């Protein structure tokens, strides 16, 4: 049995320099998985939708390797904090703040995100 994909007119937007930038349709985000989006300045953002429907966005670049892979990481929770684990060296990044949970000196950019 195949389920029909969710359809919605809602767009996911990130706050960039005080303006909202549309990155994708909400229906493209599967709970527990990430997608990468190219930003106007050439950087990439990793956008996630957790199993409760909450949205998060981080810089897609893994600061430990320099590779743009965080959107492909595994999501989970640690002490009630949602995180994504880099698929390369497995460091975990708090989805809300961008703080590395395994090295407090490292952080990635976290973006404000909304649907419109």
């Amino acid at each position: 049995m195949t389920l029909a994909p969710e359809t919605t007119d809602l767009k996911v937007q990130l706050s960039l320099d005080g303006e909202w930038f549309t990155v994708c349709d909400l229906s493209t985000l599967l709970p527990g998985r990430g997608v990468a989006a190219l930003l106007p300045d050439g950087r990439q953002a990793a956008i996630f939708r957790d199993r409760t429907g909450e949205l998060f966005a981080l810089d897609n670049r893994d600061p430990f390797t320099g590779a743009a892979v965080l959107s492909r990481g595994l999501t989970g929770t640690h002490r009630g904090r949602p995180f994504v684990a880099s698929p390369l060296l497995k460091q975990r990044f708090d989805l809300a703040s961008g703080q590395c949970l395994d090295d407090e000196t490292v952080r990635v950019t976290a973006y404000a995100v909304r649907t419109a």
Side-chain angles (χ1 to χ4, degrees):
M1 172 186 229
T2 302
L3 297 175
E6 174 186 351
T7 58
T8 179
D9 291 331
L10 292 174
K11 305 293 184 198
V12 176
Q13 297 181 326
L14 303 183
S15 179
L16 302 175
D17 299 323
E19 295 186 27
W20 291 99
F21 177 73
T22 300
V23 291
C24 65
D25 291 333
L26 179 61
S27 60
T28 63
L29 296 176
L30 299 175
R33 313 231 26 221
V35 298
L38 185 61
L39 302 179
D41 64 2
R43 291 178 296 150
Q44 292 181 25
I47 298 93
F48 299 91
R49 183 179 186 185
D50 72 9
R51 298 192 191 288
T52 67
E54 190 169 358
L55 299 173
F56 301 95
L58 300 174
D59 185 32
N60 195 35
R61 187 178 166 277
D62 179 340
F64 292 95
T65 64
V69 295
L70 291 184
S71 63
R72 296 180 181 198
L74 298 174
T75 59
T77 58
H78 176 70
R79 297 185 181 166
R81 296 169 68 181
F83 71 83
V84 61
S86 172
L88 297 178
L89 300 177
K90 309 303 184 239
Q91 284 88 359
R92 298 168 299 157
F93 296 91
D94 185 301
L95 286 172
S97 69
Q99 179 66 50
C100 180
L101 302 178
D102 302 302
D103 183 341
E104 64 185 37
T105 65
V106 178
R107 173 184 298 269
V108 295
T109 301
Y111 298 96
V113 62
R114 72 175 187 184
T115 57

